[in-house]
Amino acid sequence: MKRATELSVLSALMVAGAGCAEEAPQRPADTQLQEAVHGLCQAEALARDGDVAGARAAFLNRSHTYLHELAADVTARDPAAVAALLEAKQGVEAALDESTDSARLADQVAALLETVRAAARSAGLRDAPCGEEAA
């Protein structure tokens, strides 16, 4: 009987968790910002060193998804900041598509970093400097 109960509980947990399998765990907004900023800082440094593939990975793996979340959070408060953020993000994406001019990519990432910080201020988040790893 105990084994049947354990299997029932396990099955229920698996079914309940199946809908959440693709969702990332929720983290405080400041921590998400820190991670995204650190990814942008890393992407900029890698691009300045000529490593476009590394910069692409840092941007896509550490920053890209959060930029959409930040834009959604700030839209009602500061539409101009969101427009600047999305435009700068598109600039980085265009530079990544070209993937030949690492200096241009680094400049685009630096510009994006400034717009992220401006949008974060609009959202009431604390500044996240480069070099400060997310917890």
Side-chain angles (χ1 to χ4, degrees):
M1 180 72 165
K2 181 178 178 187
R3 178 82 174 141
T5 302
E6 290 173 350
L7 289 175
S8 294
V9 170
L10 180 58
S11 295
L13 289 173
M14 288 174 60
V15 169
C20 301
E22 297 298 318
E23 295 178 21
Q26 292 296 316
R27 297 184 292 167
D30 283 336
T31 303
Q32 290 176 313
L33 174 64
Q34 287 176 340
E35 176 65 20
V37 165
H38 190 80
L40 291 172
C41 295
Q42 182 182 28
E44 181 185 1
L46 288 166
R48 295 225 184 270
D49 287 341
D51 184 358
V52 173
R56 174 183 284 109
F59 172 71
L60 293 175
N61 295 337
R62 299 185 74 181
S63 305
H64 183 261
T65 299
Y66 177 71
L67 300 180
H68 293 281
E69 295 171 17
L70 180 60
D73 288 346
V74 177
T75 295
R77 281 177 248 165
D78 194 345
V82 171
L85 170 68
L86 294 176
E87 184 176 322
K89 182 182 74 64
Q90 288 175 345
V92 169
E93 292 167 345
L96 285 171
D97 286 344
E98 294 167 9
S99 73
T100 56
D101 187 350
S102 61
R104 178 174 175 262
L105 174 59
D107 291 343
Q108 292 292 327
V109 173
L112 175 57
L113 187 53
E114 292 309 310
T115 65
V116 167
R117 288 184 168 135
R121 282 191 298 274
S122 293
L125 300 172
R126 70 180 184 90
D127 189 30
C130 287
E132 186 176 298
E133 268 298 339

